[in-house]
Amino acid sequence: EAGVAQSPRYKIIEKRQSVAFWCNPISGHATLYWYQQILGQGPKLLIQFQNNGVVDDSQLPKDRFSAERLKGVDSTLKIQPAKLEDSAVYLCASSHGQLSYEQYFGPGTRLTVT
Amino acid sequence: AQKITQTQPGMFVQEKEAVTLDCTYDTSDPSYGLFWYKQPSSGEMIFLIYQGSYDQQNATEGRYSLNFQKARKSANLVISASQLGDSAMYFCAMREGYRGGGNKLTFGTGTQLKVEL
């Protein structure tokens, strides 16, 4: 079974530029999560999708961050414009939901904003 | 108030010894769960073990066991017979349900474990 795929793995941009991250969850997983992990901290949930509907985006900075999950499969997370404090690892995870609570994580995208 | 508290920023353990990583939590939801994840320096999050709030027995997965004390709201991870490959950051996380369905995971700040020869 293929795991959660994310791309790119690394990205360096200047502040005020825009960036997009892509995630492909495990096949059949209805729930998809985007987390932000700042160095030295635990992951913080940004947004959670159930199929293509948003369950929780209470911690998503909506003035600059946006996310979508078209057709309930792949998802993209966008930052526009980026700030220095957005430097972090962005983790995507998916879970089946009904069969198991376990969340399976992708390798993450390390973003550096200069 | 912190929902998940990990008070040990760093821990050292000798190879082949057991080690306990502490985790306390705070919730008013009667149905919840506790996870432990391992994050090596490569960055991926690896699921280790899960304990549901209604589970009667403490969860075990190979060398990992979860010491769940509901009254104390603690869910400590015990790693037996430590190996050099266990050196990593360990995160405790709590699952809570949303009113409309689905689950939310809240992570602690992590404990950096170093296994020494």
Side-chain angles (χ1 to χ4, degrees):
Chain A
E1 176 181 81
V4 177
Q6 288 187 250
S7 68
R9 291 297 311 277
Y10 305 91
K11 191 74 177 178
I12 301 174
I13 61 172
E14 295 182 351
K15 59 183 178 183
R16 291 187 288 274
Q17 286 186 324
S18 62
V19 65
F21 312 128
W22 173 82
C23 173
N24 181 244
I26 292 174
S27 177
H29 281 194
T31 311
L32 185 147
Y33 313 79
W34 282 103
Y35 290 90
Q36 179 192 59
Q37 187 177 19
I38 293 173
L39 186 65
Q41 300 181 17
K44 182 184 81 171
L45 179 70
L46 292 176
I47 189 166
Q48 178 180 345
F49 292 96
Q50 181 76 15
N51 295 308
N52 59 350
V54 176
V55 175
D56 183 357
D57 64 356
S58 58
Q59 298 191 94
L60 186 74
K62 298 180 186 65
D63 58 333
R64 298 184 300 106
F65 286 64
S66 65
E68 61 181 8
R69 189 183 185 197
L70 299 177
K71 300 180 181 179
V73 182
D74 294 7
S75 177
T76 55
L77 176 69
K78 297 179 182 177
I79 308 175
Q80 182 179 11
K83 293 185 175 181
L84 296 177
E85 58 261 36
D86 297 332
S87 294
V89 175
Y90 291 85
L91 295 163
C92 179
S94 70
S95 68
H96 187 281
Q98 293 183 356
L99 294 181
S100 169
Y101 294 122
E102 180 184 343
Q103 294 186 16
Y104 296 82
F105 284 79
T109 297
R110 185 175 298 276
L111 174 67
T112 302
V113 182
T114 62
Chain B
Q2 291 287 332
K3 289 209 167 197
I4 291 285
T5 302
Q6 294 181 255
T7 58
Q8 306 153 313
M11 289 282 287
F12 290 90
V13 65
Q14 294 285 327
E15 192 182 21
K16 301 178 186 177
E17 297 292 313
V19 63
T20 298
L21 306 183
D22 295 341
C23 174
T24 57
Y25 61 92
D26 183 30
T27 182
S28 56
D29 192 340
S31 176
Y32 57 91
L34 284 308
F35 290 86
W36 278 92
Y37 281 87
K38 173 184 177 181
Q39 188 175 44
S41 56
S42 53
E44 73 271 30
M45 296 286 282
I46 302 168
F47 166 77
L48 296 178
I49 196 166
Y50 173 77
Q51 176 90 40
S53 58
Y54 293 121
D55 293 341
Q56 294 297 314
Q57 294 191 333
N58 286 346
T60 60
E61 291 284 351
R63 295 187 298 111
Y64 304 107
S65 60
L66 202 153
N67 184 3
F68 184 48
Q69 298 189 40
K70 200 170 181 177
R72 294 185 176 185
K73 294 190 174 180
S74 73
N76 299 337
L77 176 70
V78 180
I79 305 175
S80 62
S82 296
Q83 302 171 357
L84 295 178
D86 294 335
S87 294
M89 181 71 86
Y90 288 80
F91 289 99
C92 179
M94 179 171 63
R95 174 193 66 78
E96 295 174 289
Y98 291 107
R99 288 184 180 177
N103 293 276
K104 176 179 181 176
L105 212 58
T106 302
F107 285 82
T109 53
T111 295
Q112 183 71 48
L113 177 66
K114 175 73 173 175
V115 180
E116 300 174 317
L117 290 171

